[in-house]
Amino acid sequence: MSASGLAPVSANYRARERVPPAAPRPWLPLALLLLCVALLSLAVGAVSVPPLALAGSLLEQVGLDLGPRLESVQQAVLLSIRLPRVTLGIMVGAVLATCGAALQALFRNPLVEPGLLGTSSGAALGAVAAIVLDVALSAHLGSLRMLAVPGAAFAGALGATLLAHRLGGGGGRTETARILLAGVAVSAGAGAGIGLLTQVATDAQLRSITFWTWGSLGGASWDVVGAATPPLLVALGLLLREARTLNLLLLGEREAWHLGVDVERLKRRLILAAALGVGAAVSVSGVIAFVGLLVPALLRLALGPDHRRLLGASALLGASLLVGSDLLARTAAIPAELPVGALTSVLGVPVFIGLLSRKGAA
């Protein structure tokens, strides 16, 4: 197509998507918010950690001997329990929010979240199946038994997403509306499977199923962090590099194609990256709702639709939201611990209703 043919589209893109040069950058305040929430989460809990001793202990890990030191119990709690938990929460929250932002751009709907593709439901079905079949699996897996639930959840998430993508393809094209409908069907089927499995579960298994399906970071350890880091970082990197093409996609699929975007390949890349990220996140934290919906939807209202800023801002705010929610979950009812997914749902439902009302009034 000639340059003259592209001029109206390019002008339209600049008019609709360009962020004013004077708009403030969101990175610094969001990074400071995440730092504050992370330090607060490290310091507060059943075993309190004084801030100065916390700083001294963290600096000691990088070879700096400054400030007071923690007692042995405080040191063990900080380094073996809270630090891996906060690290996992940062990565999971960042990936869930970034996946939500990318999928909202793909479907051009601010009320879309990764769960609509069946990813979370598929992960839940895989995990529940592993929990119910624990005795049978332990006879075959031996020492690898501890990997059964996260491995089954990850496989279930990928399988459900790929199935929804497969069902959403029609005539060689991936239709976003069909994918959403297929995701709803896959989620319903996974829910039915979970219902059948819970009927044959023991009381102990039911407690595990209930807590897992509401999400928790309580199982965080350095081994879990090490296993989850590669797929989470790969998914995050794949999504962040698509910021410019997502801006073009907001114009419409035909306009994006005229501007040189292979729309079908972009759809496949986004869906597979989201499946990888959400599958890895859910496999280590359980189902955590609303983070992937609320964070990008609210930031889009505050920052505009430019994904060069929106994706990174979503990662930072999503990490802060999940780490802060986890702090509240483990301190609100000490010595009991609330499921973090329940708290994000409690926070998310009124905001979601507000977004729906705003969208309806617009």
Side-chain angles (χ1 to χ4, degrees):
M1 181 172 288
S2 65
S4 60
L6 291 179
V9 176
S10 300
N12 188 29
Y13 167 68
R14 289 194 298 270
R16 293 177 58 182
E17 299 302 320
R18 187 179 61 186
V19 178
R25 290 287 180 180
W27 317 122
L28 182 58
L30 289 175
L32 290 176
L33 173 63
L34 176 57
L35 178 61
C36 292
V37 172
L39 292 176
L40 185 63
S41 185
L42 291 174
V44 176
V47 177
S48 62
V49 178
L52 291 179
L54 167 63
S57 179
L58 293 177
L59 290 174
E60 184 181 358
Q61 302 306 309
V62 295
L64 299 177
D65 189 7
L66 300 174
R69 297 186 178 184
L70 297 173
E71 298 177 359
S72 57
V73 174
Q74 294 173 326
Q75 184 90 350
V77 169
L78 173 65
L79 299 180
S80 300
I81 298 176
R82 290 188 189 166
L83 193 56
R85 186 165 180 155
V86 169
T87 303
L88 187 65
I90 288 173
M91 291 193 298
V92 169
V95 168
L96 290 177
T98 307
C99 288
L103 292 178
Q104 287 174 9
L106 173 63
F107 293 100
R108 284 176 287 171
N109 188 329
L111 302 181
V112 169
E113 68 160 352
L116 289 179
L117 298 181
T119 309
S120 299
S121 298
L125 177 60
V128 170
I131 292 171
V132 173
L133 300 175
D134 177 66
V135 175
L137 290 175
S138 63
H140 296 85
L141 296 180
S143 60
L144 297 178
R145 175 185 176 187
M146 60 179 297
L147 301 177
V149 173
F154 185 69
L158 289 179
T161 307
L162 292 176
L163 179 59
H165 179 266
R166 179 73 174 179
L167 295 175
R173 297 181 65 251
T174 305
E175 299 181 16
T176 53
R178 285 173 60 110
I179 292 178
L180 284 179
L181 291 175
V184 171
V186 170
S187 296
I194 292 172
L196 292 175
L197 288 171
T198 56
Q199 296 301 311
V200 298
T202 65
D203 290 341
Q205 290 172 343
L206 284 174
R207 286 192 292 271
S208 297
I209 291 170
T210 300
F211 199 74
W212 192 92
T213 52
W214 277 109
S216 172
L217 297 177
S221 66
W222 288 120
D223 290 337
V224 172
V225 170
T229 295
L232 289 174
L233 292 185
V234 167
L236 189 61
L238 291 175
L239 293 171
L240 291 175
R241 69 194 295 266
E242 299 291 353
R244 293 183 180 274
T245 52
L246 284 173
N247 282 346
L248 298 176
L249 189 62
L250 290 179
L251 299 173
E253 294 183 10
R254 178 171 297 181
E255 289 80 0
W257 184 82
H258 284 310
L259 290 172
V261 178
D262 189 333
V263 176
E264 290 302 312
R265 291 186 62 185
L266 175 62
K267 289 179 183 178
R268 289 193 292 270
R269 289 199 305 269
L270 290 175
I271 291 173
L272 291 177
L276 175 64
V278 175
V282 173
S283 70
V284 295
S285 66
V287 179
I288 299 177
F290 283 102
V291 174
L293 186 152
L294 294 179
V295 170
L298 293 175
L299 284 175
R300 187 173 280 104
L301 295 176
L303 302 177
D306 189 346
H307 288 85
R308 292 171 297 179
R309 299 169 59 195
L310 183 62
L311 293 181
S314 295
L316 290 172
L317 186 56
S320 299
L321 175 61
L322 186 54
V323 173
S325 298
D326 181 61
L327 171 61
L328 182 61
R330 61 182 176 80
T331 58
I334 293 175
E337 181 175 319
L338 303 175
V340 67
L343 288 182
T344 57
S345 296
V346 168
L347 296 173
V349 167
V351 180
F352 180 70
I353 294 174
L355 289 173
L356 282 176
S357 301
R358 186 182 185 277
K359 188 175 178 63

